[in-house]
Amino acid sequence: MAMQKLHPDDTASLYEAVARYAKYGCDAERPLHPSRNAEQLRAAFAVDLSKSGRPPLDVIHDLIAAAEPGLVGSTREGFLAWVIGGSHPAGIAADWLTALWGQNAGIYQASPAAAVAEEAVERWLLDLLGLPASASIGLVTGATMAGFVCLAAARNEVLRRVGYDLPQHGLARAPKTTVFLGAEAHSTIFAALRYLGFGEANFRRIPADRNGRLDTARLESAMKGADGPAIVIAQAGHINTGAFDSLSEIADIAHRHGAWLHIDGAFGLWARTVPELSHLVHGAELADSWSVDGHKWLQVPYDCGFAIVADRDAHRRAMDITAGYLPSESTDGRNPNHFGPELSRRARGFAVWAVLQTLGRDGITNMVRAHCSTARDLASELSALPEARIEHDVVLNQVTASFGLAEDDQTGRDRLTQRVCDELNATNRYFLKTADWRNHTVLRFSLSGAQLDSQSVKDLVREIKTAIDRCRAVHVSDGRSKRSFSDTWPLPLPAHVAF
Ligand SMILES: Cc1ncc(COP(=O)(O)O)c(C=O)c1O
């Protein structure tokens, strides 16, 4: 039986219902924490698949009812757990349009508008980030894939420079490539390298300092003793500390040794838009490739990342997909699939275009500046608590702390840090997570989505103080807080969302 066509009125009421729901979603305070556990969520989602289909309005109603209790309020002010952006409404609206238009952004011919929007954002992004105007950008799902694309270009290119044709001969007989990277490079960089056929035998992990910055002198000496194709990976924005490797020195070392330099700047590269942070990112423009996220600090809705490669041809050679039915060249505009790993994909450029235009140059600068200034305020207020220890120099938007009483050993510190986190989460005003860093428990505050004002920072620190005092007063034998947020909020579907 052919797929049933929806009557235009039914389609319209479906979209209107979602728009009414969106209004509710924006107006109301979505709880920060899910109120149902995985089993409860499964009971709502894992129902029998309908045999002959159901009216879409009913299905969308059920989808909202099933999903709401399992959503995280990641766009709200108290969400500080990870570097997750706030999905700017302009980006959300553009993303809706993207779905509505149903464009396939693979090739120019399939959607000239999608292809040209990507050309436009390529130019804006290179300009904003102060990178070579001749570089190319592939719009991908996030920084993990951006790293993958850039490192694919790097791998092909360093092998090509020693006369090895990777597309022809494959990896099996390839000369060994050495990848020099900081011991505290982001886990997704290691993942991207593994997808590309590299393993531990290829890695030279360069020790990092207390802020997680790669030790440049150790890089220099490691590279002196190595020969063959080489890739160096530097980091702009450490996930716990926000620290930056010494980019210009590393660029100098990498290029003196004929290596390709990649910079993982998932969120940190946005420091390039703030003049007073320029010392952190000085020399970033000298790299051969950069991976940056759109969906973190830039506030583009998920999923969006930028794979930026200085040598456009190297980028294309690494990503080329050819087939008789796909025009390899378009005289009108670029084919997006030349710069990313997918053929058919959503038209990511529209949301980026809308967010960049809405924020504007000054808006981006001010947002990054404000998050960094809040991070500094938070660190300074926290430092006044005798039990708090800030684990690093605060240079960007990340503040990582641990908590302990004078008499606490490391286990005691770890336990108190965890309890502070649990207590804050139990207020339902914060969403925080601890992490294991250098064998101890830390609490990370990431300022990258909603902006906290100075009163909110004071409230947060007061709440931390209260949590510490409560933990001092009450000994919880299993080391975890007994308070729980989980049953404070089963959300009823809003009555005014008329389906
Ligand atoms: C430094 C760094 N690189 C890469 C990534 C991976 O980015 P994504 O989650 O967008 O794939 C992250 C994510 O937090 C990051 O902080």
Side-chain angles (χ1 to χ4, degrees):
M1 197 173 73
M3 192 171 77
Q4 257 193 344
K5 240 182 143 191
L6 267 189
H7 188 278
D9 290 348
D10 292 339
T11 307
S13 29
L14 184 64
Y15 298 161
E16 278 160 17
V18 175
R20 278 197 300 279
Y21 168 75
K23 183 163 178 292
Y24 156 78
C26 296
D27 290 345
E29 292 278 277
R30 163 163 297 130
L32 279 157
H33 294 271
S35 62
R36 303 270 159 82
N37 62 26
E39 210 178 312
Q40 293 166 322
L41 291 170
R42 264 178 224 122
F45 273 108
V47 292
D48 289 341
L49 177 61
S50 73
K51 183 165 177 336
S52 46
R54 297 175 54 209
L57 207 56
D58 293 355
V59 172
I60 295 300
H61 175 280
D62 289 357
L63 175 62
I64 293 174
E68 270 282 3
L71 298 180
V72 167
S74 41
T75 58
R76 283 193 47 203
E77 182 186 285
F79 181 89
L80 299 165
W82 299 292
V83 187
I84 284 186
S87 289
H88 194 288
I92 296 173
D95 238 10
W96 285 4
L97 288 172
T98 305
L100 201 61
W101 291 332
Q103 301 295 284
N104 180 337
I107 56 172
Y108 177 86
Q109 287 179 348
S111 181
V116 173
E118 294 195 11
E119 273 177 21
V121 302
E122 178 181 80
R123 189 164 55 80
W124 290 345
L125 287 166
L126 293 173
D127 185 36
L128 274 169
L129 295 169
L131 300 179
S134 54
S136 47
I137 302 188
L139 272 70
V140 292
T141 51
T144 305
M145 264 300 120
F148 168 81
V149 170
C150 292
L151 292 168
R155 180 191 62 177
N156 288 17
E157 208 49 27
V158 294
L159 287 170
R160 213 171 73 93
R161 285 180 201 159
V162 294
Y164 187 79
D165 184 349
L166 184 75
Q168 182 63 31
H169 303 298
L171 263 185
R173 287 189 292 125
K176 183 176 171 187
T177 298
T178 308
V179 182
F180 298 86
L181 75 179
E184 298 204 18
H186 195 265
S187 53
T188 55
I189 284 291
F190 290 98
L193 289 165
R194 281 197 305 274
Y195 307 154
L196 291 164
F198 295 125
E200 276 308 320
N202 299 93
F203 304 156
R204 288 293 298 273
R205 295 177 192 243
I206 310 297
D209 69 11
R210 76 174 270 275
N211 289 308
R213 306 173 74 224
L214 171 162
D215 181 331
T216 312
R218 303 278 283 269
L219 172 68
E220 171 86 75
S221 53
M223 292 201 80
K224 258 191 201 137
D227 54 12
I231 298 170
V232 175
I233 302 175
Q235 184 164 250
H238 182 286
I239 192 64
N240 290 333
T241 67
F244 291 73
D245 293 340
S246 304
L247 303 177
S248 59
E249 284 176 52
I250 293 173
D252 176 49
I253 297 168
H255 291 153
R256 261 193 288 112
H257 291 274
W260 176 290
L261 173 62
H262 173 71
I263 296 178
D264 173 12
F267 58 99
L269 214 61
W270 291 104
R272 300 269 291 178
T273 62
V274 182
E276 62 271 25
L277 298 178
S278 62
H279 61 286
L280 297 171
V281 270
H282 176 62
E285 69 282 359
L286 302 171
D288 299 288
S289 58
W290 307 260
S291 39
V292 189
D293 260 318
H295 57 209
K296 290 189 183 355
W297 227 346
L298 190 58
Q299 318 298 325
V300 177
Y302 280 79
D303 45 30
C304 179
F306 310 120
I308 312 176
V309 181
D311 179 343
R312 227 181 164 81
D313 295 335
H315 194 165
R316 259 198 79 165
R317 276 194 294 272
M319 289 295 124
D320 223 11
I321 301 175
T322 47
Y325 74 101
L326 299 173
S328 63
E329 286 303 337
S330 161
T331 47
D332 298 316
R334 62 170 230 168
N335 284 332
N337 81 314
H338 286 158
F339 304 98
E342 303 143 314
L343 178 56
S344 299
R345 68 160 165 87
R346 110 186 247 100
R348 298 192 181 102
F350 295 135
V352 183
W353 192 92
V355 172
L356 286 173
Q357 274 291 37
T358 304
L359 292 175
R361 278 172 202 284
D362 292 349
I364 294 168
T365 302
N366 292 336
M367 173 185 66
V368 172
R369 179 183 280 144
H371 282 131
C372 295
S373 139
T374 305
R376 281 194 305 276
D377 291 349
L378 175 60
S380 128
E381 298 265 348
L382 273 179
S383 307
L385 301 181
E387 299 87 354
R389 183 172 75 205
I390 310 292
E391 300 284 331
H392 59 99
D393 302 330
V394 175
V395 294
L396 200 68
N397 64 326
Q398 297 294 108
V399 181
T400 293
S402 67
F403 302 93
L405 310 178
E407 64 274 20
D408 281 344
D409 58 9
Q410 190 53 56
T411 312
R413 266 198 101 74
D414 289 351
R415 191 177 297 156
L416 183 62
T417 306
Q418 184 60 55
R419 281 191 202 166
V420 167
C421 179
D422 293 344
E423 292 278 336
L424 289 170
N425 285 334
T427 66
N428 231 344
R429 288 194 297 281
Y430 304 101
F431 187 107
L432 285 153
K433 292 287 171 198
T434 54
D436 189 30
W437 188 39
R438 297 177 177 164
N439 298 322
H440 68 272
T441 304
V442 292
L443 186 54
R444 299 166 63 248
F445 301 91
S446 298
L447 286 310
S448 61
Q451 173 59 28
L452 266 62
D453 62 21
S454 56
Q455 188 54 48
S456 306
V457 170
K458 285 189 194 317
D459 292 345
L460 169 59
V461 174
R462 202 186 45 245
E463 204 69 63
I464 291 172
K465 174 87 185 99
T466 308
I468 293 170
D469 292 346
R470 195 179 294 123
C471 293
R472 257 183 170 147
V474 183
H475 278 281
V476 185
S477 56
D478 65 358
R480 297 194 137 248
S481 168
K482 290 274 190 274
R483 301 180 75 214
S484 159
F485 53 80
S486 61
D487 42 26
T488 55
W489 178 80
L491 180 84
L493 256 189
H496 62 282
V497 178
F499 277 88

Short mmCIF file of all heavy atoms in Angstrom, two decimals, residues 142-144 186 188 235 237 239 264 266-267 293 295-296, ligand 1:
data_model
loop_
_atom_site.label_atom_id
_atom_site.label_comp_id
_atom_site.label_asym_id
_atom_site.label_seq_id
_atom_site.Cartn_x
_atom_site.Cartn_y
_atom_site.Cartn_z
N GLY A 142 30.18 17.41 14.54
CA GLY A 142 30.74 17.95 15.78
C GLY A 142 32.25 17.91 15.71
O GLY A 142 32.83 17.58 14.66
N ALA A 143 32.90 18.22 16.82
CA ALA A 143 34.36 18.31 16.80
C ALA A 143 35.02 16.94 16.65
O ALA A 143 36.13 16.84 16.13
CB ALA A 143 34.87 19.00 18.06
N THR A 144 34.34 15.87 17.07
CA THR A 144 34.94 14.54 16.89
C THR A 144 35.11 14.27 15.39
O THR A 144 36.20 13.89 14.93
CB THR A 144 34.03 13.46 17.51
OG1 THR A 144 33.80 13.78 18.87
CG2 THR A 144 34.67 12.09 17.41
N HIS A 186 42.17 15.59 24.03
CA HIS A 186 40.80 15.14 24.27
C HIS A 186 40.62 13.70 23.76
O HIS A 186 41.17 13.32 22.74
CB HIS A 186 39.82 16.07 23.56
CG HIS A 186 38.42 15.91 24.03
ND1 HIS A 186 37.51 15.10 23.41
CD2 HIS A 186 37.78 16.44 25.11
CE1 HIS A 186 36.36 15.15 24.05
NE2 HIS A 186 36.49 15.96 25.09
N THR A 188 38.41 12.27 22.21
CA THR A 188 37.86 12.09 20.86
C THR A 188 38.95 12.19 19.78
O THR A 188 38.78 11.69 18.67
CB THR A 188 36.76 13.12 20.56
OG1 THR A 188 37.28 14.42 20.78
CG2 THR A 188 35.55 12.89 21.45
N GLN A 235 46.28 21.56 21.33
CA GLN A 235 44.93 21.76 21.86
C GLN A 235 44.71 23.23 22.22
O GLN A 235 45.55 23.84 22.87
CB GLN A 235 44.78 20.89 23.10
CG GLN A 235 43.41 20.90 23.72
CD GLN A 235 43.21 19.73 24.68
OE1 GLN A 235 42.46 18.81 24.41
NE2 GLN A 235 43.90 19.77 25.79
N GLY A 237 42.10 24.87 24.35
CA GLY A 237 40.96 24.68 25.24
C GLY A 237 40.89 23.27 25.79
O GLY A 237 40.25 22.40 25.21
N ILE A 239 39.66 20.38 28.23
CA ILE A 239 38.30 20.15 28.68
C ILE A 239 38.08 20.44 30.18
O ILE A 239 37.01 20.87 30.59
CB ILE A 239 37.83 18.71 28.31
CG1 ILE A 239 36.34 18.54 28.50
CG2 ILE A 239 38.60 17.65 29.08
CD1 ILE A 239 35.51 19.38 27.60
N ASP A 264 43.09 21.08 17.89
CA ASP A 264 41.76 20.76 18.37
C ASP A 264 41.29 21.97 19.19
O ASP A 264 41.72 22.18 20.32
CB ASP A 264 41.80 19.49 19.25
CG ASP A 264 40.45 19.21 19.91
OD1 ASP A 264 39.45 19.85 19.53
OD2 ASP A 264 40.41 18.35 20.81
N ALA A 266 37.91 22.72 19.80
CA ALA A 266 36.46 22.46 19.83
C ALA A 266 35.68 23.65 20.38
O ALA A 266 34.75 24.15 19.76
CB ALA A 266 36.17 21.20 20.63
N PHE A 267 36.10 24.12 21.55
CA PHE A 267 35.45 25.34 22.06
C PHE A 267 36.45 26.47 22.19
O PHE A 267 36.12 27.63 21.98
CB PHE A 267 34.72 25.08 23.40
CG PHE A 267 35.58 24.56 24.51
CD1 PHE A 267 36.07 25.42 25.49
CD2 PHE A 267 35.93 23.23 24.59
CE1 PHE A 267 36.88 24.95 26.52
CE2 PHE A 267 36.74 22.74 25.61
CZ PHE A 267 37.21 23.60 26.58
N ASP A 293 33.82 23.37 17.13
CA ASP A 293 32.40 23.05 17.25
C ASP A 293 31.53 24.25 16.95
O ASP A 293 31.87 25.38 17.32
CB ASP A 293 32.09 22.59 18.68
CG ASP A 293 32.00 21.09 18.78
OD1 ASP A 293 31.41 20.47 17.88
OD2 ASP A 293 32.53 20.53 19.75
N HIS A 295 28.17 23.61 17.83
CA HIS A 295 27.10 23.36 18.81
C HIS A 295 27.54 23.54 20.27
O HIS A 295 26.75 23.28 21.16
CB HIS A 295 26.47 21.98 18.60
CG HIS A 295 27.43 20.83 18.66
ND1 HIS A 295 27.20 19.67 17.95
CD2 HIS A 295 28.58 20.63 19.32
CE1 HIS A 295 28.18 18.82 18.19
NE2 HIS A 295 29.03 19.38 19.02
N LYS A 296 28.77 23.97 20.48
CA LYS A 296 29.15 24.27 21.86
C LYS A 296 29.02 25.79 22.06
O LYS A 296 27.94 26.31 22.22
CB LYS A 296 30.54 23.76 22.16
CG LYS A 296 30.65 22.24 22.22
CD LYS A 296 31.99 21.83 22.73
CE LYS A 296 32.30 20.36 22.80
NZ LYS A 296 31.32 19.37 22.48
C1 LIG B 1 38.70 19.77 23.33
C2 LIG B 1 37.59 18.94 22.75
N1 LIG B 1 37.78 18.30 21.58
C3 LIG B 1 36.83 17.56 21.02
C4 LIG B 1 35.59 17.41 21.61
C5 LIG B 1 34.54 16.57 20.96
O1 LIG B 1 33.52 17.40 20.49
P1 LIG B 1 32.09 16.85 20.06
O2 LIG B 1 31.47 16.36 21.32
O3 LIG B 1 31.40 18.01 19.48
O4 LIG B 1 32.28 15.75 19.07
C6 LIG B 1 35.34 18.06 22.83
C7 LIG B 1 34.06 17.88 23.51
O5 LIG B 1 33.84 18.34 24.62
C8 LIG B 1 36.36 18.86 23.40
O6 LIG B 1 36.16 19.53 24.53
#
